[in-house]
Amino acid sequence: MIRGDIKALSAYHVPDSSGMIKLDAMENPFSMPEDLREKWAKRLSDVEINRYPDADMFELRKKIAKREGLQPEQVLLGNGSDEIIQMILIATVPGTCVIPGPTFVMYNLVSQWLKRPVATVPLAEDFTMKDEHFLQVCAREKAEIAFLACPNNPTGNLWRQERVEKIAKGMGGMLVIDEAYGPFSERTHTDLIAPNVMVLKTFSKVGWAGLRMGYLLGDAEVIAQLNKVRMPYNINALTQASADFLLDHFDLFEKQVEVLRGERERMAEALAAIDGVQVFPSQANFLLFRVADANAMFESLKQAGILIKNMHGSDRLLSNCLRITIGSEDENNAALTALREILI
């Protein structure tokens, strides 16, 4: 009774990281300070979990909108950005979805679940993309929707501003600019929001991965339509209370982001100095690098107690590539030490 195309898919795999230095999932490595944790716990103790959560979430949307310089009606909340991607693909006209390649796997995966055709625009060898080529594919495929991760995952690069602007203005369908890694990059794209341009964000990368809180910014009328396919009570009461509380202390997470940006630059220089390692520029909280044998390196690092992401085999352009999350200074040093020992 299960669809044949679903049987042919592989489930999204999350490897066991027990006892390892976990640098595979782009998480913030810093734990919440104890004094703040106690205040947070007190806030959660007041939540009445016998009641359904606030379905409209107006006050939380209002708080997020104020941070973004928008109106609450322009904010849609999701159980992680993945759920919002699913909402968008459900609600929009079921035509072709255009994406760069390689990019975040969920655009393609959710499209497959919904039997939406996908057209991929291959990136250049250096992971750059031409806006003309992207728009040509959109026109040829009569694309109803396109996704642009800015910065891109897993490559880490940020498309040039003028390229994003040209695509936004030249798209005949809906463009979703995914800023999951926006806090670590040099710019945002909220100024491009229009009836056919939306910006997708998440709190997962800045330190709230366990809360699963994503949000979409867009034209108020479009957000109202998308809200019709949002599951009732999709954000649980504990997550709502946590997000409301933590937004009042967001300066802490912004400081952590600055630390991680500094560590990213240090790691990039250190990796580039190792013989046999080619590291690619990144404006995210991870680095993509190439070695002679990614499979062997991945297994050796696992044996050393360090878990990163093996990208080899996922796309032609990612041959012998590995992706490492930027962790704490100690975690990064341990990874560098292990890499140097393996490559000696």
Side-chain angles (χ1 to χ4, degrees), residues 262-302:
E263 278 294 294
R264 178 188 67 200
E265 299 312 307
R266 183 179 74 89
M267 280 286 285
E269 291 180 11
L271 284 170
I274 301 174
D275 288 340
V277 174
Q278 178 188 10
V279 62
F280 297 96
S282 173
Q283 288 206 30
N285 65 335
F286 61 83
L287 290 167
L288 185 76
F289 63 98
R290 179 173 281 130
V291 293
D293 188 336
N295 290 336
M297 176 63 74
F298 176 76
E299 292 300 328
S300 295
L301 286 171
K302 273 185 71 174

Side-chain angles (χ1 to χ4, degrees), residues 52-66 71-80 83-84 87 203 211-216 223 226-227 229-244 247:
Y52 282 111
D54 178 3
D56 184 61
M57 301 174 283
F58 178 78
E59 290 303 321
L60 183 54
R61 289 189 292 114
K62 181 179 177 182
K63 189 171 284 191
I64 292 171
K66 184 177 181 180
Q71 298 301 313
E73 294 76 19
Q74 294 182 269
V75 180
L76 178 73
L77 303 184
N79 189 1
E83 186 191 33
I84 298 175
M87 288 186 225
F203 291 115
L211 292 182
R212 305 300 297 131
M213 170 66 81
Y215 61 102
L216 182 70
I223 293 295
L226 291 173
N227 196 50
V229 299
R230 179 177 61 85
M231 285 289 184
Y233 314 114
N234 66 321
I235 308 298
N236 71 72
L238 295 174
T239 294
Q240 288 190 40
S242 297
D244 182 73
L247 280 167

Side-chain angles (χ1 to χ4, degrees), residues 159-332:
W159 318 118
R160 285 164 46 188
Q161 174 75 10
E162 58 267 31
R163 292 199 186 284
V164 179
E165 289 178 356
K166 285 182 181 179
I167 292 171
K169 293 174 182 176
M171 268 292 296
M174 184 72 72
L175 176 66
V176 180
I177 301 173
D178 187 348
E179 293 189 359
Y181 304 93
F184 303 91
S185 71
E186 65 187 27
R187 68 172 190 269
T188 183
H189 303 83
T190 53
D191 60 309
L192 297 180
I193 288 173
N196 73 317
V197 180
M198 298 182 288
V199 176
L200 180 60
K201 300 196 178 193
T202 180
F203 291 115
S204 292
K205 315 308 176 188
V206 299
W208 309 4
L211 292 182
R212 305 300 297 131
M213 170 66 81
Y215 61 102
L216 182 70
L217 306 174
D219 177 82
E221 176 57 29
V222 175
I223 293 295
Q225 298 304 320
L226 291 173
N227 196 50
K228 295 176 182 178
V229 299
R230 179 177 61 85
M231 285 289 184
Y233 314 114
N234 66 321
I235 308 298
N236 71 72
L238 295 174
T239 294
Q240 288 190 40
S242 297
D244 182 73
F245 172 80
L246 293 173
L247 280 167
D248 291 337
H249 302 275
F250 204 72
D251 58 327
L252 166 69
F253 301 97
E254 290 176 324
K255 290 175 183 176
Q256 292 176 351
V257 164
E258 283 303 309
V259 171
L260 293 172
R261 289 176 68 167
E263 278 294 294
R264 178 188 67 200
E265 299 312 307
R266 183 179 74 89
M267 280 286 285
E269 291 180 11
L271 284 170
I274 301 174
D275 288 340
V277 174
Q278 178 188 10
V279 62
F280 297 96
S282 173
Q283 288 206 30
N285 65 335
F286 61 83
L287 290 167
L288 185 76
F289 63 98
R290 179 173 281 130
V291 293
D293 188 336
N295 290 336
M297 176 63 74
F298 176 76
E299 292 300 328
S300 295
L301 286 171
K302 273 185 71 174
Q303 292 299 315
I306 297 167
L307 182 64
I308 64 173
K309 182 74 171 180
N310 187 0
M311 305 306 305
H312 181 71
S314 61
D315 187 281
R316 178 187 65 82
L317 293 177
L318 298 175
S319 175
N320 284 313
C321 282
L322 299 160
R323 187 190 67 198
I324 184 168
T325 302
I326 303 304
S328 66
E329 182 179 0
D330 288 345
E331 290 173 334
N332 296 333

